[in-house]
Amino acid sequence: MKKKKKVILSFLIAAAATAAFIGCSAKSAVEPVDFQAKMELKVPDPAAGICPRILFVGNSHTFYNRLSEMFVNIINSQGHKSDVRELSSGYYTLKQYADTDDQGGALLDKTLSKLNWDFVILQENTSNALSSVADEEMFPPSRILDEKIRASGGQSAFLMTWAPKDGLRAGLKKRSCETVQSDLASTYTAIAKELDALMIPAGVGFMRSAQEHPDIELWDKDGYHPSPAGSYLTACILYSVIFQESPVDCPYIADLDAEVALKLQKLAADLVFS
């Protein structure tokens, strides 16, 4: 039985204001990514202001563990204000969000035209980002959405997701988690560079954490979605990129152990600021 898609538009106003199936791909990395290498990330221009308006656009990788709410809690704990909202739907792709005849696409189009946005976080369906024809499936709608985002006064930020914990199979060949993440990193880097957009390297953060802190479980039991720790790491990386501030010693640690949260905060800061 085909699951019904549920479109969620949540309004999370900070500072007390009111306010996939993931298919396998035969694509292989052309050039392996060194996940420990220093990353050259674009800095927001302009930087986040006094109360930036931020919109999340994605699917279950975004709404799992209420990522945008974690992000807001970090912002609040660091003494900032924000207006953070979310448009997410299970299995959704950027191609659907760019299609105004689609329910989610029509809602996003209305949301972008109704308000001016400082940052719009775009999270692609992992299958499309891993596709051997990502330049046909992911890049064209990314260009359409980026144009709309710029017209609304905002900056696009691509949220690089993480590879499945156990990798993927392409026919009879098993591809490791690291190899799959290398492909994801290449795809997200290419479109972010083309559009001169921001990138949130959460997937690279997952790989670094797996290497440095193998005791911290970043994946949910299904091996695809993030655990609470995985979502918290992503939120810390988001905060570091958008606000250009370190999340180290942030008092908000979700429901994590304080030591675990501090390790993830430091990893996020090192990833973004090196």
Side-chain angles (χ1 to χ4, degrees):
M1 180 181 294
K2 186 177 180 181
K3 294 184 178 179
K4 292 184 178 179
K5 294 178 180 177
K6 181 180 180 182
V7 177
I8 303 172
L9 181 59
S10 57
F11 294 86
L12 304 171
I13 309 300
T18 57
F21 171 78
I22 303 178
C24 300
S25 167
K27 178 182 177 182
S28 60
V30 175
E31 188 175 329
V33 175
D34 179 0
F35 297 117
Q36 290 294 339
K38 179 179 178 180
M39 296 197 71
E40 297 293 338
L41 298 174
K42 176 180 169 61
V43 175
D45 182 21
I50 296 176
C51 186
R53 180 173 285 145
I54 304 167
L55 175 65
F56 281 76
V57 178
N59 52 45
S60 56
H61 277 50
T62 290
F63 66 65
Y64 234 67
N65 304 312
R66 298 181 178 180
L67 171 62
S68 57
E69 187 173 334
M70 281 189 178
F71 179 54
V72 167
N73 287 333
I74 291 175
I75 294 171
N76 290 349
S77 296
Q78 296 292 83
H80 298 291
K81 295 182 180 180
S82 64
D83 179 351
V84 178
R85 313 188 187 195
E86 177 184 324
L87 174 56
S88 57
S89 181
Y91 311 111
Y92 252 60
T93 65
L94 295 184
K95 187 175 183 178
Q96 288 173 287
Y97 281 121
D99 181 4
T100 54
D101 290 330
D102 181 274
Q103 180 186 7
L107 184 53
L108 176 57
D109 185 68
K110 181 179 179 180
T111 303
L112 290 176
S113 61
K114 186 178 180 180
L115 296 172
N116 291 327
W117 299 92
D118 294 297
F119 302 95
V120 179
I121 316 298
L122 299 174
Q123 179 252 306
E124 175 64 295
N125 182 295
T126 304
S127 292
N128 280 18
L130 286 173
S131 172
S132 59
V133 288
D135 57 338
E136 299 175 13
E137 293 295 320
M138 176 181 174
F139 289 12
S142 295
R143 296 176 187 123
I144 292 172
L145 293 173
D146 179 67
E147 185 176 352
K148 291 182 179 180
I149 291 165
R150 290 177 185 273
S152 73
Q155 300 176 61
S156 300
F158 288 90
L159 173 54
M160 180 203 300
T161 52
W162 39 91
K165 181 179 180 180
D166 297 324
L168 288 174
R169 284 194 176 278
L172 298 176
K173 186 179 180 181
K174 177 68 181 294
R175 302 176 65 240
S176 70
C177 178
E178 292 78 11
T179 301
V180 175
Q181 188 63 57
S182 184
D183 284 352
L184 283 170
S186 296
T187 299
Y188 274 96
T189 299
I191 190 60
K193 183 177 181 180
E194 176 193 324
L195 298 175
D196 193 28
L198 301 172
M199 185 170 67
I200 314 298
V204 174
F206 270 54
M207 294 300 100
R208 285 197 183 184
S209 182
Q211 293 171 354
E212 299 175 14
H213 309 298
D215 55 312
I216 301 179
E217 182 55 73
L218 299 179
W219 284 267
D220 186 58
K221 292 180 180 179
D222 64 10
Y224 292 94
H225 292 97
S227 68
S231 292
Y232 184 77
L233 172 59
T234 302
C236 286
I237 296 173
L238 274 160
Y239 177 80
S240 299
V241 173
I242 299 299
F243 283 85
Q244 287 295 295
E245 291 184 3
S246 170
V248 174
D249 294 326
C250 173
Y252 170 73
I253 60 173
D255 294 322
L256 302 180
D257 176 83
E259 184 178 351
V260 168
L262 182 59
K263 287 179 179 179
L264 297 177
Q265 292 169 0
K266 289 181 176 179
L267 191 150
D270 181 65
L271 174 63
V272 177
F273 305 116
S274 298

